[in-house]
């Protein structure tokens, strides 16, 4: 494979001098954990001017607070698991809404309902009728690419696209807009920015990283904090139009082995400091008020309980003068801890527990641990004073009802024209042109244009994860009232120029192109890419983009002599050599958000055929030459790197990309940690088994019978040939999915649910149970008789995985489903998968 391009140094200079900061190689395995040397880390002082009035206020409150009030301040509960009355009773200092938590359990509820809940929670926190102080709470939101939980908000490109834009001033403007829209719904704190320096692109949070290059991340960190909070030591700092920012995740989240989310990092201390902590000193100098501890460990020590990092480095050396909050039940992963009890993390320097659904028991245990001396009174006072200090600086201690604050309830600000214009600019600047053979781009808007691919008209897919729901799934275009799809952006400009645009989402997938086109287009634009995901759900074993739908379209179009342009949506660089070969032009559009018109701005020319906007985006991540080239950072880049860091064509380039190697494709495979049974068949390496009084039999299509003949499993047709399995009980027995142990601890800690799609053919007159089983433990059962005691059509039932976490060792799960009936029953099963809970799951089936 060959491509003609300027020298690598010249390309990289366009972004950050002449190359990324070099990184130390991964050290060899150790027999014991290395030691952190705080004196070798950057030393700086807090930029914040000490306020005697603030300090006096904090001291006064500490003297008046009861022990119960102090413990309440260090506990953060999720709105799905706490009521206003409980906020009052337990004196909680903070609440949050997780990715799938929303007022009324409706992720797509109106913005006014968010503001109403903010009022109710705040009123509960300041209630002094019981004789307590009534310290106002603060509400944290995951506004990571705009106020992304709110219908109608402005959604910007995810961080990976912003990194390609290489525009720190733009980051500040994005922060300002995000803060203003957060204020509309009465909230005051965001869990952003993420300053991870992703080094393994298989990581599911790669799209939350600005770059593999620490210099870009460092430059952006302070810029976004300033936008969110206002300029430090000025009157605008934490003013009414700004919010509290959180720099996260401290530290090393982008360095884990194999890109495994929440995994272990084995990099050297020098790399941890110089690469993965690069964003923290500038964020602290910008006055960031909160730092979030990371899930990952370093040589086996979890960051949530790592005193040398949280206390000695972050506070002692870097001068951090805010408070440290945990991640979602992250304290429960510390050795010797569980979500409901972890003095180790608190003593290590964690000031506020993020305990979304474990908060009540954690409150009681923490209270007891202070009373018995496990946690010292001095350490509790230190944590509480840090939280109160931030509240005082942000005006929270003197706040009024959220709906009475500036900007609150001004719902026209959500997705306003001015805000959308900045998002559209961000989209334009984030696009990276990888290939433009024969000057296929720009396209005249007066041409006859064919647009293909379902992604072209799917705002949710363009927005990606952390969009209305945690995983960004289940969204419709109607959920984004202040938006424009990529298709509509193209349509608008083509219509204005008098051109012709047709949209055929599935053109070329089956049949000939000629059968579906009324006229031969001048050019075809195919929009495709990854489906939305977030966190560990996005972890991958390789970078091969395996959906062949777009490839079939591109090949069919080229065979018909139609020039092709690919617009690729993804949260990471991926191996798409076949798709690049089948494209005359190829654009990496990342996850652009809700302003699809920004793509049309760059792809289409003006009426004079000259580009309206040029491509200015440059790769902030190296592009892989093979599916396994997931780590190509800095001096680790190989000669096989397809497109290096800093690469990106403009319209003035005449580069030609020759045919690329397609021989390294990875054979298709299922995901044994999220998909257990699909189309009636178990996903390898899982097996479907039926058990009766005489033993167990593995089910192989088309049919099987249990050893005593009491159960049968028969493949059956529904929408396709043998795409379901019918299981029939004549007497007591069970059907189960079993296999080698897998680790689902991350999924059980997250808000994930088992989803079983089935219908009841013959209802039971006996009892039925659903169970999960881990290695060396008895099955954990739930009575589900009421879900099988009447005939039904196809239905999907959900149960939260966390309902089993205290009864099953989720690190060694060997059976994600066992359905046992004490008597006759017949059911037809289509699939069993693990999905993000969007409010439909509980501990009842």
């Amino acid at each position: 494979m060959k491509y003609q391009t300027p020298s690598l140094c010249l390309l990289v200079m366009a972004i950050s001098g002449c190359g990324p900061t070099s990184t130390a190689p991964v050290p060899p395995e150790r027999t014991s954990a290395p030691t952190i040397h705080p004196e070798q880390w950057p030393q700086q002082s807090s930029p914040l001017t000490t306020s005697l009035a603030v300090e006096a206020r904090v001291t006064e409150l500490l003297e008046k607070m009861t022990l119960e009030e102090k413990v309440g301040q260090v506990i953060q509960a999720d709105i799905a698991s706490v009521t206003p009355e409980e906020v009052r009773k337990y004196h909680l200092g903070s609440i949050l809404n997780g990715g799938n938590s929303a007022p009324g359990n409706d992720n797509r509820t109106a913005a006014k309902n968010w503001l109403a809940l903010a009022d109710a929670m705040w009123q509960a926190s300041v209630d002094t009728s019981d004789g307590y102080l009534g310290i106002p709470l603060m509400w944290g939101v995951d506004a990571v690419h705009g106020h992304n939980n709110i219908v109608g908000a402005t959604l910007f490109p995810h961080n990976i696209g912003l990194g390609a834009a290489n525009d720190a001033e733009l980051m500040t403007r994005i922060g300002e807009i995000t803060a203003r829209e957060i204020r509309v719904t009465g909230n005051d704190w965001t869990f952003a920015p993420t300053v991870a320096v992703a080094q393994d692109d298989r990581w599911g949070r790669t799209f939350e990283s600005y770059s593999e290059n620490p210099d870009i991340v460092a430059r952006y960190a302070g810029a976004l904090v300033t936008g969110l909070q206002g300029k430090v030591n000025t009157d605008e700092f934490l003013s009414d139009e700004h919010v509290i920012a959180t720099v996260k995740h401290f530290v090393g989240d982008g360095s884990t082995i194999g890109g495994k989310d929440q995994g272990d990092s084995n990099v050297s201390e020098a790399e941890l400091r110089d690469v993965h902590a690069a964003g923290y000193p500038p964020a602290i100098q910008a006055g960031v008020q909160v730092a979030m501890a990371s899930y990952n460990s370093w040589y086996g020590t979890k960051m949530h309980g790592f005193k040398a990092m949280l206390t000695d480095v972050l506070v002692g050396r870097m001068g951090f003068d805010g408070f440290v909050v945990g991640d979602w039940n992250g304290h429960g992963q510390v050795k010797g801890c569980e979500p409901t009890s972890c003095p180790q993390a608190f003593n290590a320097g964690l000031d506020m527990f993020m305990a979304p659904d474990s908060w009540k028991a954690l409150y009681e245990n923490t209270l007891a641990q202070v009373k018995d001396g496990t946690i010292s009174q001095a350490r509790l006072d230190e944590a509480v004073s840090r939280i109160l200090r931030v509240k005082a600086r942000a005006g929270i201690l003197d706040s009024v009802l959220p709906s009475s604050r500036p900007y609150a309830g001004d719902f026209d600000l959500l997705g306003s024209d001015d805000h959308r214009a900045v998002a559209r600019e961000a989209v334009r600047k984030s696009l990276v042109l990888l290939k433009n053979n024969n000057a296929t781009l720009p396209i005249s808007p007066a041409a006859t244009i064919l647009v293909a691919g379902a992604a072209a008209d799917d705002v949710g897919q363009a927005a990606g994860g952390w969009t209305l729901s945690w995983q960004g799934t289940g969204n419709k275009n109607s959920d984004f009232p202040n938006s424009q799809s990529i298709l509509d952006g193209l349509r608008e400009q083509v219509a204005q120029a008098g051109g012709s645009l047709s949209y055929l989402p599935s053109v070329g997938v089956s049949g000939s192109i000629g059968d579906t086109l009324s006229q031969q287009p001048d050019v075809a634009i195919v929009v495709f890419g990854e489906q939305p995901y977030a966190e560990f759900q996005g972890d991958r074993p390789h970078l091969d983009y395996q959906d062949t739908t777009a490839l079939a379209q591109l090949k069919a179009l080229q065979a018909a002599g139609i020039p092709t342009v690919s617009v690729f949506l993804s949260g990471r660089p991926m191996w798409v050599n076949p798709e690049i070969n089948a494209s005359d032009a190829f654009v990496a559009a990342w996850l652009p958000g809700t302003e699809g018109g920004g793509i049309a701005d760059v792809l289409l020319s003006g009426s004079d055929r000259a580009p309206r906007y040029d491509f200015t985006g440059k790769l902030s991540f190296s592009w892989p030459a093979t599916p396994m080239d997931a780590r190509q950072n800095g001096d680790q880049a190989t000669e096989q790197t397809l497109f290096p860091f800093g690469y990106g064509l403009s319209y003035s380039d005449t580069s030609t990309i020759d045919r690329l190697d397609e021989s390294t494709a990875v054979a298709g495979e299922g995901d044994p940690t999220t998909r257990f049974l699909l189309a009636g068949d178990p996903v390898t390496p899982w097996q479907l088994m039926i058990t009766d009084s005489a033993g167990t039999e593995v089910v192989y299509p088309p049919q099987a019978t249990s050893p005593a003949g009491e159960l049968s499993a028969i493949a059956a047709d529904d929408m396709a040939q043998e795409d379901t399995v019918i299981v029939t009980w004549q007497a007591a027995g069970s059907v189960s999915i079993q296999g080698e142990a897998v680790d689902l601890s991350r999924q059980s800690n997250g808000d994930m649910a088992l989803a079983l799609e089935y219908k009841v053919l013959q209802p039971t007159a006996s009892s039925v149970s659903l169970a999960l089983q881990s290695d060396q433990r008895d099955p954990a059962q739930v009575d589900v008789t009421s879900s099988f005691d009447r005939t039904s059509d196809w239905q999907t039932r959900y149960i939260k995985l966390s309902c089993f976490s205290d009864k099953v060792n989720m690190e060694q799960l060997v059976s994600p489903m066992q359905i046992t009936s004490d008597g006759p029953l017949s059911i037809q099963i289509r699939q069993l998968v693990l999905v993000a809970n969007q409010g439909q799951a509980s501990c009842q089936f």
Side-chain angles (χ1 to χ4, degrees):
M1 59 220 164
K2 301 176 182 177
Y3 51 86
Q4 301 167 6
T5 184
S7 71
L8 174 59
C9 184
L10 290 176
L11 286 166
V12 174
M13 285 177 64
I15 289 190
S16 58
C18 194
T21 302
S22 61
T23 60
V26 177
E29 292 186 8
R30 299 172 182 260
T31 56
S32 60
T35 301
I36 289 293
H37 302 85
E39 70 279 4
Q40 296 177 10
W41 287 68
Q43 184 172 20
Q44 59 181 18
S45 299
S46 169
L48 299 172
T49 302
T50 300
S51 168
L52 296 180
V54 166
E55 295 306 310
R57 185 81 177 277
V58 170
T59 300
E60 180 186 11
L61 284 172
L62 275 176
E63 290 175 350
K64 294 180 178 179
M65 293 172 73
T66 65
L67 181 59
E68 289 76 11
E69 286 176 293
K70 290 179 179 180
V71 172
Q73 285 297 306
V74 304
I75 303 289
Q76 184 180 57
D78 185 82
I79 62 170
S81 302
V82 68
T83 64
E85 172 56 27
E86 288 171 327
V87 166
R88 184 198 65 78
K89 178 179 178 181
Y90 291 91
H91 323 290
L92 297 185
S94 174
I95 57 173
L96 82 150
N97 57 278
N100 279 333
S101 302
N105 209 22
D106 179 4
N107 289 331
R108 294 157 191 88
T109 192
K112 65 179 182 180
N113 296 326
W114 288 89
L115 184 56
L117 184 59
D119 276 355
M121 291 294 191
W122 182 87
Q123 286 176 317
S125 73
V126 300
D127 184 356
T128 58
S129 61
D130 54 7
Y132 290 95
L133 295 177
I135 297 173
L137 56 69
M138 54 199 298
W139 183 336
V141 300
D142 277 298
V144 296
H145 65 128
H147 198 13
N148 44 259
N149 292 100
I150 307 300
V151 170
T154 308
L155 301 190
F156 299 92
H158 271 293
N159 287 356
I160 191 169
L162 297 176
N166 190 35
D167 188 336
E169 186 272 337
L170 175 64
M171 295 300 301
T172 299
R173 286 188 282 144
I174 288 173
E176 291 170 346
I177 290 168
T178 301
R180 206 170 295 129
E181 295 200 7
I182 290 172
R183 285 295 190 180
V184 169
T185 56
N187 308 118
D188 41 39
W189 175 17
T190 177
F191 302 132
T194 298
V195 295
V197 186
Q199 299 288 281
D200 191 314
D201 301 342
R202 293 172 293 185
W203 185 35
R205 302 191 80 154
T206 297
F207 70 82
E208 297 186 57
S209 175
Y210 297 116
S211 179
E212 68 188 30
N213 182 304
D215 296 340
I216 292 178
V217 175
R219 191 159 64 250
Y220 274 22
L224 187 63
V225 168
T226 297
L228 289 166
Q229 294 192 162
K231 188 174 182 180
V232 69
N233 294 328
T234 69
D235 290 341
E236 71 172 26
F237 184 66
L238 295 175
S239 65
D240 289 337
E241 63 178 333
H242 292 95
V243 296
I244 296 166
T246 306
V247 63
K248 66 180 187 182
H249 308 83
F250 191 78
V251 64
D253 45 354
S255 67
T256 59
I257 298 170
K260 182 179 180 181
D261 191 45
Q262 304 181 20
D264 193 30
S265 170
N266 283 180
V267 301
S268 67
E269 182 181 8
E271 182 174 342
L272 190 68
R273 177 194 66 214
D274 298 340
V275 176
H276 300 285
Y280 292 89
I284 292 168
Q285 285 305 304
V288 71
Q289 292 295 282
V290 182
M292 183 180 290
S294 183
Y295 276 120
N296 72 277
S297 55
W298 188 63
Y299 289 94
T301 300
K302 283 288 182 179
M303 284 293 164
H304 274 70
F306 205 154
K307 185 176 182 179
M309 294 304 304
L310 296 183
T311 298
D312 301 339
V313 169
L314 182 61
V315 177
R317 288 291 291 185
M318 291 186 178
F320 175 63
D321 189 23
F323 69 85
V324 179
V325 67
D327 207 339
W328 185 281
N329 278 332
H331 57 276
Q333 297 183 9
V334 174
K335 185 177 181 181
C337 289
E338 53 188 315
T340 55
S341 177
C342 193
Q344 295 94 318
F346 196 74
N347 288 334
L350 193 74
D351 299 310
M352 180 183 287
F353 292 104
M354 184 184 288
D357 51 4
S358 58
W359 67 268
K360 191 176 295 184
L362 181 64
Y363 173 94
E364 299 292 354
N365 286 327
T366 303
L367 184 64
Q369 288 154 2
V370 177
K371 289 179 178 179
D372 68 18
T374 304
I375 295 172
S376 70
Q377 183 70 54
R379 171 64 192 119
L380 178 63
D381 285 352
E382 178 182 60
V384 174
S385 67
R386 289 173 175 173
I387 294 166
L388 294 178
R389 189 173 293 113
V390 170
K391 288 186 174 184
R393 288 169 178 161
I396 292 174
L397 294 182
D398 299 309
S399 61
V400 296
L401 191 70
S403 61
S404 299
R405 299 172 190 171
Y407 301 103
D410 189 355
F411 301 119
D412 288 340
L413 277 177
L414 298 173
S416 67
D417 290 344
D418 289 347
H419 293 181
R420 291 182 63 185
V422 176
R424 187 162 177 158
E425 175 188 349
V427 173
R428 290 195 298 264
K429 291 181 174 180
S430 69
L431 304 177
V432 180
L433 182 60
L434 300 183
K435 178 181 180 179
N436 192 23
N437 287 8
N438 305 314
T440 303
L441 292 173
I443 301 167
S444 168
T448 300
I449 301 171
L450 169 67
V451 178
D457 197 30
D458 190 336
V459 177
Q461 186 172 349
W466 296 109
T467 301
L468 300 185
S469 65
W470 174 34
Q471 295 293 313
T473 55
N475 294 319
K476 306 182 297 294
N477 284 1
S478 58
D479 296 322
F480 303 97
N482 303 317
S483 70
Q484 187 176 53
S485 71
I486 296 169
L487 175 65
D488 285 342
L490 292 165
R491 273 179 173 157
E492 180 180 62
Q493 295 189 31
V494 170
Q496 290 172 352
S500 171
L501 184 147
S502 56
Y503 177 48
L504 297 172
S506 58
V507 66
V509 175
S510 61
S512 67
I513 291 290
D515 293 338
T516 56
L517 297 179
S518 58
Q519 67 178 114
Q520 182 91 344
D522 298 315
V523 64
I525 301 172
V526 181
V527 186
F528 64 99
E530 289 189 289
Q531 294 296 319
Y533 55 83
E535 297 192 72
F536 51 81
Q537 286 297 97
D539 285 359
R540 293 179 57 94
H542 55 74
L543 298 178
D544 189 352
Y545 177 73
Q546 294 182 300
D547 186 336
T548 60
T549 304
L551 182 60
Q553 293 177 326
L554 290 164
K555 287 183 174 180
L557 291 163
Q558 280 199 331
I562 301 169
T564 54
V565 176
S566 283
V567 176
F568 183 53
L569 307 178
S570 72
R572 62 190 124 211
M574 300 193 74
W575 189 78
V576 284
N577 283 16
E579 287 81 3
I580 294 175
N581 285 337
S583 306
D584 295 287
F586 195 96
V587 178
W590 312 112
L591 299 171
T594 52
E595 292 305 313
I599 292 175
D601 288 344
V602 185
L603 264 58
L604 302 180
S605 70
S607 57
D608 58 359
R609 301 298 178 92
R612 297 179 62 233
Y613 294 92
D614 202 348
F615 283 94
T616 58
K618 305 294 180 184
L619 290 179
S620 59
F621 284 85
S622 305
W623 200 276
T626 78
M628 305 313 296
D629 289 334
R631 293 183 63 94
Q632 306 176 72
N633 312 293
D635 56 15
Q636 297 171 1
T638 67
E639 292 182 0
Q640 286 74 40
T641 299
L642 185 58
F643 301 115
F645 170 90
Y647 175 88
L649 302 175
S650 68
Y651 279 133
S652 62
D653 288 310
T654 58
S655 304
T656 296
I657 305 296
D658 294 337
R659 185 171 180 80
L660 305 175
D661 178 25
E662 299 183 11
S663 65
T664 56
V666 176
E669 57 188 41
D671 182 353
T673 64
T674 60
R675 299 187 295 177
F676 310 111
L677 186 84
L678 293 176
D681 285 332
V683 175
T684 304
W686 298 105
Q687 291 183 311
L688 188 66
M689 299 184 176
I690 47 179
T691 302
D692 63 14
S693 57
T696 298
E697 182 72 28
V698 177
V699 176
Y700 294 106
Q703 62 183 42
T705 303
S706 60
E710 293 166 350
L711 276 82
S712 65
I714 302 173
D717 298 348
D718 183 52
M719 300 177 67
Q721 183 177 358
E722 297 186 354
D723 63 341
T724 66
V725 60
I726 295 175
V727 181
T728 301
W729 285 255
Q730 303 297 334
S734 65
V735 58
S736 62
I737 297 173
Q738 298 184 31
E740 295 294 325
V742 295
D743 183 357
L744 293 187
S745 56
R746 292 178 296 165
Q747 289 86 340
S748 62
N749 181 47
D751 198 13
M752 303 296 293
L754 286 167
L756 178 68
E757 187 177 5
Y758 72 102
K759 66 179 178 179
V760 178
L761 304 178
Q762 177 190 336
T764 184
S766 305
S767 62
V768 181
S769 65
L770 172 71
L772 274 67
Q773 185 173 10
S774 56
D775 197 17
Q776 308 300 322
R777 288 198 193 179
D778 292 334
Q781 296 183 339
V782 174
D783 190 315
V784 294
T785 305
S786 62
S787 298
F788 296 89
D789 62 0
R790 64 184 65 86
T791 57
S792 71
D793 202 345
W794 286 109
Q795 60 182 325
T796 303
R797 293 294 181 99
Y798 304 86
I799 190 165
K800 294 175 69 171
L801 197 61
S802 60
C803 301
F804 298 91
S805 58
D806 60 341
K807 308 176 186 68
V808 174
N809 179 7
M810 288 295 178
E811 294 182 355
Q812 295 287 323
L813 191 72
V814 295
S815 177
M817 183 196 79
Q818 297 179 24
I819 298 175
T820 301
S821 176
D822 290 342
L825 169 69
S826 183
I827 60 176
Q828 188 171 2
I829 304 174
R830 177 175 286 134
Q831 66 177 13
L832 178 73
V833 295
L834 198 59
V835 300
N837 173 28
Q838 297 198 48
Q840 74 276 53
S842 66
C843 288
Q844 302 296 318
F845 190 65

